[in-house]
């Protein structure tokens, strides 16, 4: 069974591993009471990747390491700032299936093989605080690297790492960093040993020419749109391991990445050829739908549970919470399996391949070479006009099912318009950002309204199930009435929010 840890560390250049007289005394720095030497150990790690280094390109690393207290298989995944996640599995000749699956969004099921071997002689010092509590570990590594991909080419260097201890205040890294820099110890030029080894052994040399760099003009509409497309593709790929492990909010964020990508490829058809992007959009819609069951259940459960908790105890009649739990277990297990089945399907792998091709070989149209201002303005204006048409239609309808459906369609149009403003911000500046912010306010009102519609349908089903077994239906009816009141309130609120958003001056400000 694999286990996950988070490591927060900073790397530095080190002149020598044999003579550490260059290393300053850190005693007294930010609560460090003592520095205790832990001895020297030998580490031997073989890094695995695809032939075209897909893991390294995705800021991930897979290794099998011997020596040290954590010998075994390690999959390192990118995090934020100085933090990365490391998923560890026991030693063995074969890569564990769990780690293979967590790497799948990056490898796209291509064959994995050894690309670099890195051997380190590690000298460790613990930085201790009050009561001998570990604050960080400082290691000086004498590193040797060679690669089967680069013949007999070898590399050697010395580096230092300072890794935060579990539960320690991250400010200790800042204090140590300041002390090291003051003594002339510089940050490392590479983010990891692997990155340096790939460079210095030449194993990381490009396998194919960079066709994208040759075709995309700097500061063009194509460059601006592709930057946003790549951002969402990276988000989708990065979130895959989190969704597989059911980490909080991961399904929601991956689904949003799908939606953003779909919207971008639709809104900017003048930049990217729809003959190529429309099939990709269709597959993104499929993936978003498969993830949607799990995410929609999460949202609905939170809404229903909050509604019950908000009621006075005397108004909760019958086994209301027990019925909600049964509903949750039944619905969530099916929705969860649907998400996992999608991520394990050949269709998903084909989508990942299509996204990789889309970003590496973008199907640029003639307008992609133009300056972004007019291209972006026109794209945002088209989406806005669609939104305005749907809002006008929805607001003219009396309350009821037809209005509910029309408001839901307006909500989807609001999302597309807001997403269209995102790549436009670099060229159109604050007007695009302000318009996106106003449209988000409209979207939030419409979203709460739609959540109420969905909640009422489920509450009716729960009430019918309760009635069939002789349970009181009072509480379910009360919750239904409250959701109905929420919907009416959002319908009253919406015209004023839309009037503010639809002021002509907001769109006129977009003109470059």
């Amino acid at each position: 069974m694999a286990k996950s840890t988070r490591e927060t560390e900073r790397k530095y250049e080190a002149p020598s591993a044999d003579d550490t007289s260059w290393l300053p005394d850190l005693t007294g720095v930010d609560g460090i009471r003592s520095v205790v030497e832990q001895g020297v150990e030998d580490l031997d790690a073989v890094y695995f990747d695809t032939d075209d280094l897909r893991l390294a390109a995705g800021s991930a690393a897979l290794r099998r390491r011997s020596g040290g207290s954590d010998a075994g298989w390690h999959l390192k995944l990118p995090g934020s700032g100085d933090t990365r996640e490391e998923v560890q599995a026991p030693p063995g000749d074969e890569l564990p299936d769990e780690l293979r699956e967590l790497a799948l969004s990056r490898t796209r099921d291509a064959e994995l093989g050894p690309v670099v071997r890195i051997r380190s002689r590690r000298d460790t010092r613990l930085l201790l605080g009050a009561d001998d509590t570990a604050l960080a570990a400082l290691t000086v590594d004498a590193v040797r690297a060679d690669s089967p991909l680069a013949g007999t080419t070898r590399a050697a260097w010395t580096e230092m790492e300072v890794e935060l201890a579990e539960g320690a205040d991250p400010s200790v890294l800042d204090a140590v960093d300041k002390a090291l820099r003051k003594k002339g110890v510089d940050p490392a030029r590479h983010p990891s040993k692997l990155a340096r080894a790939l460079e210095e052994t030449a194993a990381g040399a490009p396998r194919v020419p960079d066709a994208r760099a040759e075709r995309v003009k700097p500061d063009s509409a194509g460059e601006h749109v592709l930057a946003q497309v790549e951002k969402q593709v990276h988000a989708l790929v990065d979130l895959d391991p989190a969704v597989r492990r059911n980490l909080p909010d991961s399904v929601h964020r991956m689904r949003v990445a799908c939606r953003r990508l779909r919207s971008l490829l639709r809104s900017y058809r003048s930049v990217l050829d729809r003959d190529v992007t429309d099939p990709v959009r269709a597959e993104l819609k499929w993936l978003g739908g498969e993830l949607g069951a799990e995410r929609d259940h999460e949202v609905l459960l939170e809404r229903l549970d909050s509604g019950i908790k908000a009621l006075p105890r005397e108004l909760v009649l019958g086994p209301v919470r027990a019925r909600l739990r049964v509903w949750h277990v039944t619905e969530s297990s099916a929705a969860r399996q649907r998400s996992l089945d999608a991520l394990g399907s050949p269709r998903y792998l084909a989508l990942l391949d299509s996204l990789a091709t889309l970003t590496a070989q973008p199907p640029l149209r003639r307008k992609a070479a133009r300056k972004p201002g007019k291209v972006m303005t026109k794209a945002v204006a088209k989406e806005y006009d669609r939104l305005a048409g749907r809002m006008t239609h929805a607001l003219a309808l009396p309350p009821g099912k037809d209005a509910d459906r029309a408001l839901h369609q307006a909500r989807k149009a609001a999302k597309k318009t807001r997403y269209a403003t995102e790549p436009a911000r670099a060229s159109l500046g604050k007007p695009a950002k302000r318009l996106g912010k106003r449209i988000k306010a409209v979207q939030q009102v419409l979203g709460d309204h739609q959540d109420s519609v969905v909640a009422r349908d489920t509450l009716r089903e729960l009430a019918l199930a309760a009635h069939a077994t002789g349970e009181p239906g009072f509480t379910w009816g009360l919750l239904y009435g409250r959701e109905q009141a929420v919907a009416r309130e959002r319908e009253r609120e919406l015209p004023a929010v839309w009037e503010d958003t639809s002021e002509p001056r907001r769109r006129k400000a977009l003109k470059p």
Side-chain angles (χ1 to χ4, degrees):
M1 184 69 179
K3 66 175 183 178
S4 174
T5 62
R6 290 191 176 274
E7 55 179 27
T8 302
E9 64 182 19
R10 296 185 188 179
K11 295 179 177 292
Y12 299 87
E13 302 289 345
S16 170
D18 297 326
D19 178 8
T20 57
S21 58
W22 52 269
L23 186 62
D25 183 6
L26 298 174
T27 304
V29 173
D30 194 41
I32 298 174
R33 299 290 182 87
S34 61
V35 178
V36 180
E37 295 193 14
Q38 297 294 294
V40 177
E41 58 186 353
D42 291 316
L43 308 175
D44 190 345
V46 177
Y47 286 77
F48 292 76
D49 207 331
T50 62
D51 183 60
D52 53 357
L53 302 178
R54 296 177 183 181
L55 286 173
S59 302
L62 174 66
R63 71 187 180 196
R64 183 179 60 201
R65 189 164 81 179
S66 59
S69 60
D70 60 351
W73 288 93
H74 302 163
L75 175 64
K76 288 177 175 281
L77 299 170
S80 58
D82 300 316
T83 300
R84 301 184 72 184
E85 183 174 11
E86 182 171 287
V87 186
Q88 302 176 354
D93 292 335
E94 298 296 326
L95 172 63
D97 289 341
E98 185 174 355
L99 267 59
R100 188 184 299 277
E101 288 182 1
L102 295 180
L104 195 64
S105 64
R106 291 174 168 84
T107 65
R108 307 194 301 280
D109 211 26
E111 185 177 353
L112 290 162
V115 293
V116 167
R117 182 183 184 186
I118 298 178
R119 284 167 283 188
S120 303
R121 189 164 181 78
R122 171 165 291 180
D123 185 0
T124 302
R125 296 162 174 79
L126 286 183
L127 310 184
L128 304 180
D131 301 323
D132 290 334
T133 302
L135 302 177
L138 185 152
T139 58
V140 179
D141 291 343
V143 183
R144 293 173 295 150
D146 57 80
S147 170
L149 302 181
T152 59
T153 305
R154 289 182 170 84
W157 68 92
T158 303
E159 69 176 39
M160 181 175 69
E161 298 176 1
V162 182
E163 182 176 345
L164 192 70
E166 184 177 358
D169 190 334
S171 65
V172 71
L173 292 183
D174 293 329
V176 171
D177 181 81
K178 185 177 179 180
L180 292 173
R181 288 175 185 248
K182 189 175 180 181
K183 291 294 185 179
V185 180
D186 296 324
R189 295 179 293 109
H190 298 82
S192 66
K193 289 183 177 69
L194 175 62
R196 184 163 182 174
L198 289 173
E199 178 183 309
E200 297 197 4
T201 65
R207 302 293 194 273
V208 295
D210 188 354
R212 180 192 180 286
E214 295 174 1
R215 297 184 59 202
V216 181
K217 289 181 61 175
D219 196 29
S220 63
E223 184 184 54
H224 286 234
V225 172
L226 283 173
Q228 192 66 22
V229 168
E230 288 177 343
K231 178 180 179 181
Q232 299 310 320
V233 171
H234 289 157
L236 191 152
V237 169
D238 287 349
L239 286 164
D240 173 292
V243 172
R244 292 178 188 274
R245 289 175 293 156
N246 203 22
L247 298 186
D249 205 36
S250 58
V251 173
H252 168 59
R253 291 164 61 202
M254 191 174 188
R255 189 185 183 195
V256 168
C258 289
R259 284 176 169 170
R260 277 195 161 97
L261 268 172
R262 284 181 60 214
S263 294
L264 286 167
L265 298 178
R266 166 200 162 103
S267 300
Y268 291 96
R269 287 170 174 167
S270 63
V271 174
L272 298 172
D273 187 350
R274 66 179 298 176
D275 288 342
V276 176
T277 61
D278 279 1
V280 177
R281 290 187 65 246
E283 293 305 283
L284 286 167
K285 182 178 182 180
W286 161 77
L287 179 58
E290 297 305 292
L291 298 171
E294 187 172 359
R295 173 55 186 168
D296 290 345
H297 179 80
E298 290 175 354
V299 172
L300 185 55
L301 174 65
E302 183 178 351
R303 191 176 184 100
L304 297 181
D305 189 52
S306 297
I308 294 172
K309 288 178 179 177
L311 291 175
R313 184 175 300 178
E314 63 269 20
L315 297 183
V316 181
L317 305 183
V320 173
R321 290 188 175 86
R323 178 161 292 281
L324 184 63
R325 282 196 298 272
V326 171
W327 169 83
H328 165 55
V329 170
T330 303
E331 296 294 325
S332 64
S333 60
R336 175 67 182 155
Q337 191 58 51
R338 185 172 170 182
S339 295
L340 293 176
D341 288 346
L343 297 188
S345 68
R347 189 172 180 178
Y348 175 62
L349 285 176
L351 171 59
L352 292 174
D353 280 333
S354 296
L355 293 173
T357 301
L358 178 66
T359 55
Q361 303 171 29
L364 300 175
R365 299 187 66 191
R366 186 163 48 87
K367 288 185 178 180
R370 296 181 181 178
K371 290 293 182 183
K374 289 184 179 180
V375 176
M376 300 290 183
T377 299
K378 188 173 181 179
V380 173
K382 285 181 70 174
E383 293 295 352
Y384 176 86
D385 288 344
R386 291 190 186 96
L387 169 61
R390 292 188 179 183
M391 285 296 300
T392 300
H393 172 65
L395 290 173
L397 294 173
K401 290 190 176 297
D402 288 343
D404 290 344
R405 284 191 288 268
L407 290 170
H408 182 45
Q409 293 302 313
R411 177 197 183 193
K412 291 193 286 187
K415 285 184 179 180
K416 292 171 183 174
T417 307
R418 180 165 68 89
Y419 295 155
T421 67
E422 292 174 349
R425 292 177 185 178
S427 57
L428 303 181
K430 290 184 179 179
K433 185 175 182 179
R434 282 195 287 263
L435 179 62
K437 185 177 181 180
R438 292 311 312 160
I439 291 173
K440 185 177 182 180
V442 174
Q443 179 189 324
Q444 288 174 330
V445 175
L446 291 168
D448 199 27
H449 182 275
Q450 176 61 17
D451 288 348
S452 172
V453 172
V454 174
R456 277 179 279 155
D457 288 344
T458 301
L459 286 167
R460 184 176 183 277
E461 293 174 3
L462 288 167
L464 288 172
H467 176 74
T469 59
E471 297 168 12
F474 172 82
T475 302
W476 301 116
L478 180 59
L479 292 169
Y480 187 100
R482 288 194 167 193
E483 287 292 354
Q484 203 165 36
V486 168
R488 299 293 87 84
E489 178 61 27
R490 297 299 167 263
E491 290 165 5
R492 287 190 292 270
E493 181 183 353
L494 184 59
V497 178
W498 173 243
E499 183 179 4
D500 181 38
T501 301
S502 60
E503 286 187 9
R505 63 182 175 85
R506 298 194 185 280
R507 297 190 306 285
K508 288 181 181 178
L510 290 176
K511 293 182 179 180

